[in-house]
């Protein structure tokens, strides 16, 4: 194949997906494929729930006073809600249309689960729960930098 023909094939192979995307008629991922298309509304909803959880944790631990025993169940509920919100963002290890989020989501879920297990243990440990907000900076560091 000469260079001109190879170039034409390359342009055609790149042009079709771009043209379909511009027309809003790109191919839908097949059921069971290794791609998770997350609607922007779903992303905002789940991320909002995660932010609420972080805020609630910061409020509980912000005073520096030890938690009362009855607050343990509150912390467990907050972590359960955060785990559920993270789970709404799709299965682990599956690419999505939000690559940065997908890249960090598995590790974030792991940290949430470990923090929850440490609170559920006897005696409970809250050390890892206090680090959850810092875990968000894996993705949102640039957001913080822009606010300064």
């Amino acid at each position: 194949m000469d260079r001109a023909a190879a170039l034409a094939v390359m342009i055609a192979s790149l042009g079709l997906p771009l043209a379909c995307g511009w027309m809003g008629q790109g191919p839908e991922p097949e059921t069971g494929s290794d791609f998770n298309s997350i609607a922007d509304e779903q992303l905002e909803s789940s991320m909002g729930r995660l932010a609420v959880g972080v805020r609630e944790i910061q409020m509980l631990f912000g005073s520096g006073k030890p938690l009362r025993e009855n607050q343990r169940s509150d912390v467990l509920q907050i972590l359960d809600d955060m785990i559920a919100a993270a789970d709404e963002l799709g299965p682990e290890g599956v690419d999505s249309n939000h690559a940065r989020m997908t890249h960090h989501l598995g590790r974030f879920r792991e940290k949430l689960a470990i923090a929850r297990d440490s609170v559920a243990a006897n005696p409970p440990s809250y050390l890892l729960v206090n680090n959850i907000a810092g875990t968000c900076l894996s993705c949102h560091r640039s957001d913080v930098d822009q606010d300064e």
Side-chain angles (χ1 to χ4, degrees), residues 60-133:
L60 280 172
F61 292 95
S63 69
K65 297 177 185 175
L67 292 184
R68 297 181 309 273
E69 179 58 33
N70 65 342
Q71 289 178 302
R72 180 181 185 182
S73 62
D74 294 340
V75 174
L76 289 169
Q77 184 60 56
I78 292 166
L79 292 170
D80 285 342
D81 290 346
M82 292 178 75
I83 290 168
D87 287 346
E88 289 174 358
L89 295 171
E92 191 168 335
V94 176
D95 289 335
S96 80
N97 52 325
H98 297 279
R100 184 169 68 164
M101 184 271 314
T102 301
H103 177 74
H104 293 283
L105 186 59
R107 183 74 179 126
F108 182 69
R109 283 180 170 149
E110 183 179 311
K111 288 182 178 187
L112 284 174
I114 292 170
R116 192 206 183 284
D117 289 346
S118 71
V119 173
N122 280 317
S125 172
Y126 297 101
L127 179 65
L128 297 174
V129 176
N130 284 313
N131 293 329
I132 293 297

Side-chain angles (χ1 to χ4, degrees), residues 47-70:
M47 289 293 177
R49 288 178 54 206
L50 291 170
V52 166
V54 167
R55 183 171 174 268
E56 290 174 342
I57 287 170
Q58 289 174 330
M59 288 173 54
L60 280 172
F61 292 95
S63 69
K65 297 177 185 175
L67 292 184
R68 297 181 309 273
E69 179 58 33
N70 65 342

Side-chain angles (χ1 to χ4, degrees), residues 6-59:
L7 183 60
V9 169
M10 184 178 78
I11 290 171
S13 67
L14 292 174
L16 182 60
L18 289 174
C20 289
W22 286 333
M23 294 185 306
Q25 298 176 354
E28 290 291 319
E30 296 177 24
T31 304
S33 70
D34 288 338
F35 187 81
N36 179 33
S37 182
I38 304 169
D40 289 341
E41 296 82 20
Q42 178 63 53
L43 182 68
E44 289 175 20
S45 172
S46 296
M47 289 293 177
R49 288 178 54 206
L50 291 170
V52 166
V54 167
R55 183 171 174 268
E56 290 174 342
I57 287 170
Q58 289 174 330
M59 288 173 54

